[in-house]
């Protein structure tokens, strides 16, 4: 098993505009927790995790510049209760973090996430028929609603979706007939009585087991997976097609959307993301590279090539340029928790749409409008094709999305305030409250402002996640995962 | 060799304990297969341990082994259903509940279902008292479990305990079922909906009317279509329970709503269950309600629904009340069927083609000729081969009513076209119908029109087709007799022995292999044998050793003088062939035909088997090329 070397730190993040602070590194939390734990029964079960923690600390101390490509985090996702947080990386690994139980004497520890399970979800493969390498990179992780004491998640690379079970085991059978306690074989003639094994408590063990592999259904690269609210099906989406699967059946899937033209030379748009409605099991949406979205109703017909709603904003002719089409491509689409709104992210903006208004978005937020003048160089270094994701907070009142230079943005939909924050180790002392950042656009640069020209475009925040009910966020900055929470009073 | 009453640990150094000890230890072996074997012999272990230790030691251990692989858990769940005697009989059967309860909460549906099945089985072995003391509390625990897996399992258990408990407990069970029908998770509502009919069956009629109908109505208008469609199934069982006069008010509003549901999946379910529904609601409601509903389903905008409905056309018509059957079909159903013949979706057409011929027996000769025949003919010309094949495969229905002559003129072009289809699977399918067609059309028509086709398949470039064609010839000979064979096909088959292509020459041999028995000794000896023997001089080794093989096949048909005077010398000659494999088969066959060992027996089995493999590979290559062919085109 390779070492998990993504750095991990935690800070407090307070409402936009404030500064204060402490941050804990992964290691320190381990130390102090050991003091907390006094229950001897618990002690034993913590041992495994302690060892785990140290291993992480060792690698964590390395400068992130040494991180290999495989360590770059490619997806972040909270489970439906927020108790667990999963990350996937380019090396095909999935790391699951578990939230620490609340403790009265250290209230600031609420929201502390520690490694719960690490496993290799996908391996690199080779498609011999097409002479193509299939990367192990985890494109998306989606949790299933909890159905028993174990947890289940779907992870996908470009071609194959896998269903993983993460379960705990705290008992072990003991006692053999043909072996003694030390494993020595007994003389069969000495066996005078049968022994039935007895289960004894043991250190808690977390196991990840692959339960299903859904493969061979995608010709193009899978960009999204989404679990349906009927708890029975999910869909996987590639550049041109959307397939519907039953979670229990791996050898059959149904194609529900296919936009592949008969002649590939007539191809003008691709599907960039797709998601099921959070409550209506028959509704899903998919976005396209042309900046539009289609809402489909699976009740209407078995094939959803005909949409029921089409969301498109008329183009502003004054902003028309060579890059218009590229920057209007939607990189992520998300239903709000209420199911009433849709959020889309394109290169420069985040938009909120009302499901009942197809003609234009309800709200448009500029993520980094100062890049509009730099599109040419962003095109040359390929950054213009970066796929930023976006997330809602638990109550759909705030939205968050990433930018460059390890910056990420939050927009409060009610107060219309917005903030730019930075996720980086250099700038954050333990438990510090994040300082809002400002990018200076032309003219004189004030103190604390950063010039557009000095932004580091290699440090991009593409993947973020928001706890389903609390103000805890997870931000993936290349190979580092940062978890922030709002300030505790 | 375990003694049945061995009270586990009684005997000193007992040899008989050893195999049991191994089985018990292998319950925890790292190899799944060994664990599975052990679990499958669980009854042997229990027998050796005795009832007491099985209850106090084995079952507690099994209760906690739910970490295992699905297949092991599945086997365990199944075993426990037959464990009553091994724990001490019905008096102690409740000891089996804890392990089955934990199995009923695992995430894997097959395991859960098996655990529920076993629980249902052992519930019958509980005394009424035990049922209330042990079984019913378990059902309640599952029904109010935190996770939906346990609640879904509970749904399947209500109906088995309900008839055997007191009225207070009955009331509780009804309440639990009601709660699960409005569960938060669709999984549980689906489980409840699928068990609704079964539960209704064990309820008193008054409660069916008061409780079940309201639950049924609620589930049938659930926000999730995956729940609503299951209510359609329940509709069948509920309708059979209710007296006719109540159906209109209690069931029909829901059924009408389902048949017009916004979601195609619900309408599909109605179409799929249409025959059952028709039987459940009786002739009057069928006439007034189901006929228009069926018409709508046949005209549905979703192809899946139309296909499901088309599949039911024959059954629906058959089950119509006799007095008005013909009128209903002619005025209501047939117009819809006519439209479906030219449907845009090939699955719909193909579903219709698989049943439409059945209508002729219902409608009788005149109607068939006037109304159905044009439809059959249209479908025989359909662009989709599956449609044509479905019509051809059901020809016997029409033959009974109007005789096949009416169709034969259109049949022929359809058959010829299928016989020459570019896809070998289509060709294969039509070959398989040939014996049937030959029987229906008669020998004259066959000789005149189809014989050439059958012979052409023998030189198809796909091995699977040549093989099927060979087999087809045999069936034809069985049908038309040896004399016919001698006059029509044997000369053609033997003629191929001089073909320049060695694959065709081999086909001659393959045909002879399968025809010799059907043709009888005379034809085999006089006509076939000379050809086979002559081919022993073929320049291709593959042909020569197939000669050896053929001689073995036809040997039993020949008389002993022919074997001694004609076959033996040829086999002896082949046994000294320069080719190793020819030698091998010749020698092997000499033995099999009991012609005595030739002098030289230098057998190199390993080398010989290579030739076999080589042939297999060759054939597969041909197959492979054919499989990929459509793509290339």
């Amino acid at each position: 098993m390779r070492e998990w070397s993504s750095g991990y730190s935690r800070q407090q993040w307070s409402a936009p505009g404030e500064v204060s602070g402490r941050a804990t590194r992964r290691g320190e939390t381990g130390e102090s927790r050991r003091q907390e734990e006094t229950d001897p029964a618990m002690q034993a079960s913590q041992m495994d995790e302690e060892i785990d923690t140290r291993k992480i600390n060792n690698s964590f101390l390395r400068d992130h510049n040494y991180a290999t490509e495989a360590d770059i985090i490619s997806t972040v996702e909270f489970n439906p209760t927020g108790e667990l947080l999963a990350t996937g990386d380019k090396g095909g690994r999935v790391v699951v973090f578990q939230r620490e139980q609340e403790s009265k004497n250290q209230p600031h520890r609420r929201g502390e996430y520690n490694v719960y399970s690490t496993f290799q979800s996908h391996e690199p493969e080779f498609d011999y028929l097409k002479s193509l390498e299939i990367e192990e990179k985890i494109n998306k992780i989606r949790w299933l609603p909890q159905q028993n004491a174990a947890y289940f998640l779907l992870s996908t690379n470009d071609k194959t979706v896998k269903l993983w079970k993460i379960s705990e085991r705290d008992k072990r059978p003991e006692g053999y007939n043909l072996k003694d306690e030390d494993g020595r074989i007994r003389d069969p003639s000495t066996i005078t009585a049968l022994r039935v094994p007895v289960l004894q408590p043991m250190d808690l063990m977390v196991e990840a087991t692959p339960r299903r592999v859904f493969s061979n259904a995608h010709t193009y690269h899978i960009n999204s997976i989404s679990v349906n609210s009927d708890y029975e099906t999910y869909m996987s989406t590639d550049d041109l097609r959307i397939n519907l699967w039953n979670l229990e059946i791996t050898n059959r899937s149904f194609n529900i959307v296919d936009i592949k033209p008969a002649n590939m030379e007539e191809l003008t748009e691709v599907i960039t993301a797709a998601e099921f409605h959070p409550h209506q099991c028959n509704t899903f949406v998919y976005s396209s590279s042309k900046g539009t979205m289609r809402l489909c109703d699976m009740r209407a017909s078995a094939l959803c090539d005909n949409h029921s709603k089409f969301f498109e904003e008329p183009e502003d002719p004054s902003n028309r340029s060579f890059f218009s089409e590229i920057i209007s491509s939607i990189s992520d689409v998300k239903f709000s928790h209420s199911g009433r709104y849709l959020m889309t992210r394109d290169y420069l903006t985040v938009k909120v749409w009302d499901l009942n208004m197809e003609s234009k978005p309800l709200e448009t937020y500029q993520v980094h409008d100062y890049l509009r003048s730099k599109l040419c160089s962003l095109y040359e270094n390929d950054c213009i094709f970066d796929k930023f994701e976006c997330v809602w907070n638990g109550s759909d009142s705030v939205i968050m999305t990433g930018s460059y230079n390890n910056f990420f943005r939050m927009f409060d939909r009610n107060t219309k305030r917005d903030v730019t924050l930075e996720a980086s180790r250099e700038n954050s002392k333990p438990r510090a409250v994040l300082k809002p950042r400002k990018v200076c656009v032309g003219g004189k640069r004030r103190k604390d402002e950063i010039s557009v020209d000095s932004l580091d475009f290699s440090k991009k925040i593409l993947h973020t996640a928001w706890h389903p009910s609390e103000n805890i966020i997870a931000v993936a900055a290349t190979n580092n995962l940062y978890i922030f929470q709002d300030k505790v009073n | 060799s375990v003694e049945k009453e061995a009270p586990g640990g009684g005997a000193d150094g007992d040899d008989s304990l050893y195999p049991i000890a191994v089985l018990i230890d292998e319950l925890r072996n790292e190899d799944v297969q060994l664990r599975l074997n052990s679990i499958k012999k669980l009854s042997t272990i229990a027998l050796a341990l005795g009832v007491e230790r099985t209850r106090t030691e084995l079952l507690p251990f099994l209760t906690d082994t739910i970490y295992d692989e699905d297949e092991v858990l599945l086997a365990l769940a199944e075993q426990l259903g037959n464990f009553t005697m091994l724990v001490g009989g019905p008096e102690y059967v409740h000891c089996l509940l804890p392990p089955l309860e934990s199995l009923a909460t695992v995430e894997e549906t097959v395991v859960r279902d098996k655990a529920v099945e076993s629980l249902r089985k052992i519930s019958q072995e509980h005394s009424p008292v035990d049922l209330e003391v042990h079984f019913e509390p378990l059902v309640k625990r599952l029904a109010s479990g935190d996770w939906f897996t346990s609640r879904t399992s509970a749904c399947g258990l209500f109906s088995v305990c309900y008839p055997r408990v007191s009225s207070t407990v009955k009331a509780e069970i009804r309440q639990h079922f009601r709660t699960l029908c409005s569960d938060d998770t669709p999984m549980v509502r689906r489980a409840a909906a699928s068990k609704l009919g079964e539960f209704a069956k064990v309820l008193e009629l008054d409660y069916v009317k008061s409780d079940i109908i309201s639950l049924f109505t609620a589930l049938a208008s659930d926000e999730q279509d995956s729940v609503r469609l299951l209510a359609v199934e329940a509709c069948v069982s509920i309708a059979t329970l209710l007296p006719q006069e109540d159906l209109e008010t209690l069931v029909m509003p829901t059924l009408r709503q389902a048949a017009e549901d916004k979601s195609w999946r619900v309408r599909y379910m109605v179409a799929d269950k249409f025959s059952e529904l028709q039987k459940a609601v009786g002739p009057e409601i069928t006439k007034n309600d189901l006929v228009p509903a069926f018409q709508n389903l046949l005209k549905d905008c979703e192809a899946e629904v139309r296909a499901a409905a088309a599949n039911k056309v024959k059954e629906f018509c058959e089950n119509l009340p006799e007095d008005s059957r013909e009128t209903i079909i002619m005025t209501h159903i047939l117009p819809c069927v006519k439209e479906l013949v030219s449907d845009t979706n090939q699955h719909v057409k193909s579903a219709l083609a698989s049943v439409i011929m059945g209508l002729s027996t219902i409608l009788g000769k005149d109607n068939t000729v006037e109304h159905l025949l044009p439809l059959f003919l249209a479908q025989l010309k359909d662009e989709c081969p599956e449609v044509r094949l479905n019509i051809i495969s059901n020809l016997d229905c029409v033959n009974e009513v109007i005789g096949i002559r009416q169709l034969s003129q259109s049949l022929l072009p359809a058959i010829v076209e299928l016989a020459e289809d570019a896809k070998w699977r289509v060709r294969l399918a039509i070959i398989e119908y040939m014996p049937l067609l030959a029987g229906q059309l008669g020998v004259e028509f066959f000789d005149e029109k189809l014989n050439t086709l059958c012979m052409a398949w023998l030189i198809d470039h796909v091995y699977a087709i040549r093989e099927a064609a060979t087999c087809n010839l045999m069936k034809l000979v069985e049908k038309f007799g040896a004399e016919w064979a001698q006059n029509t096909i044997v000369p053609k088959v033997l003629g191929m022995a001089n073909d320049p292509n060695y694959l065709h020459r081999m086909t001659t041999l393959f045909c002879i292999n399968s025809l010799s028995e059907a043709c009888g000794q005379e034809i085999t000896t006089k006509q076939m044998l000379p050809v086979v023997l002559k081919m022993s001089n073929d320049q291709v080794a593959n042909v020569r050793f197939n000669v050896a093989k053929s001689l073995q096949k036809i040997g039993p048909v020949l008389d002993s003088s022919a074997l001694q005077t004609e076959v033996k010398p040829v086999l002896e000659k082949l046994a000294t062939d320069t080719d190793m494999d020819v030698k091998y088969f010749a020698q092997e066959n000499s033995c099999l035909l009991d012609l005595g060992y030739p002098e030289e027996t230098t057998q190199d089995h390993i080398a010989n088997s290579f030739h076999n493999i080589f042939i297999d590979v060759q054939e597969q290559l041909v197959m492979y090329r054919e499989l990929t062919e459509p793509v290339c085109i």
Side-chain angles (χ1 to χ4, degrees), chain B residues 80-150:
Chain B
L80 291 176
N82 303 317
F83 237 59
T84 310
M85 291 322 288
L86 297 163
V87 292
E91 203 181 329
Y92 294 99
V93 66
H94 59 86
C95 298
L96 296 172
L97 298 181
L100 285 171
E101 182 175 354
S102 63
L103 287 169
T105 62
V106 302
E107 68 277 2
E108 197 57 49
T109 314
V110 282
V111 177
R112 253 178 10 237
D113 287 351
K114 189 54 89 179
V116 169
E117 195 186 311
S118 288
L119 279 169
R120 288 166 70 112
K121 207 165 168 185
I122 64 166
S123 75
Q124 303 306 323
E125 282 151 358
H126 281 71
S127 68
V129 178
D130 279 349
L131 203 66
E132 283 194 27
V133 177
H134 298 288
F135 197 86
E136 206 267 337
L138 163 122
V139 178
K140 274 192 214 161
R141 270 198 306 281
L142 287 174
S144 48
D146 283 342
W147 311 116
F148 69 72
T149 45
S150 83

Side-chain angles (χ1 to χ4, degrees), chain B residues 203-447:
Chain B
L203 245 59
E204 297 79 359
L205 186 60
D206 284 346
Y207 289 120
V208 173
K209 288 188 196 172
S210 60
D211 284 28
I212 295 290
I213 294 298
S214 64
L215 294 175
F216 167 63
T217 320
L219 289 169
S221 46
D222 195 280
E223 55 171 15
Q224 296 231 343
D225 55 356
S226 60
V227 179
R228 292 204 299 276
L229 62 90
L230 290 170
V232 175
E233 246 181 308
C235 187
V236 176
S237 352
I238 293 172
T240 43
L241 294 174
L242 293 173
Q244 189 73 30
E245 63 268 23
D246 288 329
L247 286 178
E248 182 52 43
T249 49
L250 298 180
V251 176
M252 287 315 292
T254 311
L255 182 57
R256 280 189 206 109
Q257 180 194 320
E260 286 166 9
D261 198 282
K262 201 176 170 202
S263 164
W264 69 269
R265 291 206 291 168
V266 179
R267 299 196 304 273
Y268 172 89
M269 203 64 174
V270 175
D272 196 46
K273 297 275 167 231
F274 217 84
S275 306
E276 287 95 324
L277 287 168
Q278 184 186 9
K279 284 178 201 149
V281 298
E284 277 313 304
I285 295 182
T286 299
K287 263 192 260 180
N288 301 331
D289 272 279
L290 294 194
V291 171
F294 194 62
Q295 283 176 287
N296 286 338
L297 292 171
L298 288 173
K299 290 184 211 151
D300 200 278
C301 57
E302 171 59 45
E304 300 279 346
V305 179
R306 289 200 304 277
N311 254 323
K312 300 286 165 191
V313 164
K314 181 191 159 206
E315 228 176 313
F316 180 75
C317 293
E318 261 174 358
N319 295 331
L320 285 170
E322 215 159 316
D323 55 336
S324 49
R325 187 191 288 159
E326 195 176 321
T327 343
I328 294 177
I329 299 178
M330 296 309 292
T331 53
H332 296 107
I333 307 298
L334 207 57
C336 301
V337 169
K338 279 182 183 158
E339 277 175 47
L340 289 184
V341 167
S342 49
D343 199 277
T344 47
N345 185 296
Q346 69 172 56
H347 298 293
V348 177
K349 287 188 290 188
S350 146
L352 183 70
S354 66
V355 298
I356 190 173
M357 310 290 268
L359 288 180
S360 52
T361 32
I362 304 170
L363 287 177
K365 189 173 177 182
D366 294 342
N367 280 327
T368 303
V369 173
E370 191 181 342
H371 298 284
L372 292 177
L373 200 55
L375 303 182
F376 301 156
L377 297 177
Q379 293 215 300
L380 272 176
K381 294 193 188 90
D382 199 277
E383 57 186 4
C384 164
E386 208 178 318
V387 176
R388 283 175 268 152
L389 277 172
N390 278 344
I391 290 288
I392 290 173
S393 64
N394 286 301
L395 277 178
D396 43 343
C397 314
V398 193
N399 201 9
E400 287 161 22
V401 183
I402 57 166
I404 210 148
R405 287 283 155 188
Q406 298 264 13
L407 269 176
S408 56
Q409 284 318 308
S410 311
L411 211 47
L412 195 65
I415 294 171
V416 172
E417 206 175 315
L418 288 169
E420 287 161 0
D421 198 282
K423 295 193 184 75
W424 68 268
R425 284 173 201 281
V426 175
R427 298 202 297 276
L428 188 63
I430 189 71
I431 293 178
E432 277 159 8
Y433 291 126
M434 267 301 151
L436 175 85
L437 281 172
Q440 307 274 336
L441 294 166
V443 65
E444 277 169 48
F445 187 89
F446 185 87
D447 280 347

Side-chain angles (χ1 to χ4, degrees), chain B residues 568-587:
Chain B
K568 197 178 173 185
V570 171
L571 278 178
E572 277 170 2
K573 186 187 74 189
L574 289 174
T576 59
D577 199 279
T578 48
D579 188 279
M580 189 110 66
D581 301 300
V582 178
K583 226 190 240 180
Y584 168 72
F585 285 110
Q587 284 164 357

Side-chain angles (χ1 to χ4, degrees), chain A residues 324-425:
Chain A
S324 296
E325 203 166 315
I326 302 174
I327 63 169
S328 67
S329 172
I330 294 177
S331 53
D332 195 17
V333 59
K334 291 269 167 67
F335 274 104
S336 65
H337 295 84
S338 67
R340 169 79 191 268
Y341 303 105
L342 274 169
M343 165 165 58
T344 56
R345 171 71 210 257
D346 57 36
Y347 193 61
L348 294 178
T349 67
V350 195
K351 290 171 185 158
V352 174
W353 303 72
D354 189 321
L355 241 55
N356 300 321
M357 184 163 70
E358 297 163 63
S359 57
K360 62 175 195 295
L362 213 56
E363 299 150 25
T364 301
Y365 301 97
Q366 299 297 335
V367 179
H368 36 215
D369 203 43
Y370 44 80
L371 297 181
R372 198 175 282 278
S373 56
K374 311 205 54 137
L375 290 176
C376 206
S377 54
L378 289 165
Y379 179 76
E380 273 157 21
N381 63 13
D382 271 356
C383 280
I384 202 165
F385 300 106
D386 284 335
K387 293 191 84 180
F388 291 99
E389 292 172 7
C390 51
V391 290
W392 300 87
N393 73 339
S395 60
D396 300 337
S397 59
V398 184
I399 55 184
M400 170 170 68
T401 190
S403 174
Y404 292 103
N405 204 46
N406 276 346
F407 287 173
F408 59 98
R409 302 268 287 148
M410 285 188 192
F411 304 93
D412 188 317
R413 297 178 57 213
N414 299 325
T415 63
K416 301 293 172 199
R417 289 169 68 187
D418 66 277
V419 66
T420 304
L421 299 170
E422 182 178 1
S424 75
R425 202 178 298 146

Side-chain angles (χ1 to χ4, degrees), chain A residues 90 92 131 166 192 227 238 301 354 398 404 414 422:
Chain A
K90 286 197 170 172
S131 271
I166 299 157
T192 55
V227 180
D238 67 25
S301 102
D354 189 321
V398 184
Y404 292 103
N414 299 325
E422 182 178 1

Side-chain angles (χ1 to χ4, degrees), chain A residues 147-148 152 165 169 173 175-178 191-192 194-195 199 211-212 229-231 248 298-299 301-302, chain B residues 9 11 13 25 28 53 64 67 70 105 107-109 147-149 186-187 190 224 262-264 302:
Chain A
Q147 51 180 324
N148 59 15
F152 292 84
K165 174 186 181 181
R169 183 188 286 212
Y176 282 100
N177 286 294
L178 307 178
I191 298 169
T192 55
L194 293 173
R195 264 177 94 180
L199 288 152
R211 300 289 306 186
R212 304 253 194 283
S229 61
D230 66 7
Y231 289 27
E248 300 200 339
M298 296 200 293
R299 288 174 305 185
S301 102
Chain B
D25 283 2
R28 300 155 53 196
R53 292 192 68 193
D64 279 321
Y67 302 110
D70 300 334
T105 62
E107 68 277 2
E108 197 57 49
T109 314
W147 311 116
F148 69 72
T149 45
M187 279 299 200
R190 274 199 294 276
Q224 296 231 343
K262 201 176 170 202
S263 164
W264 69 269
E302 171 59 45

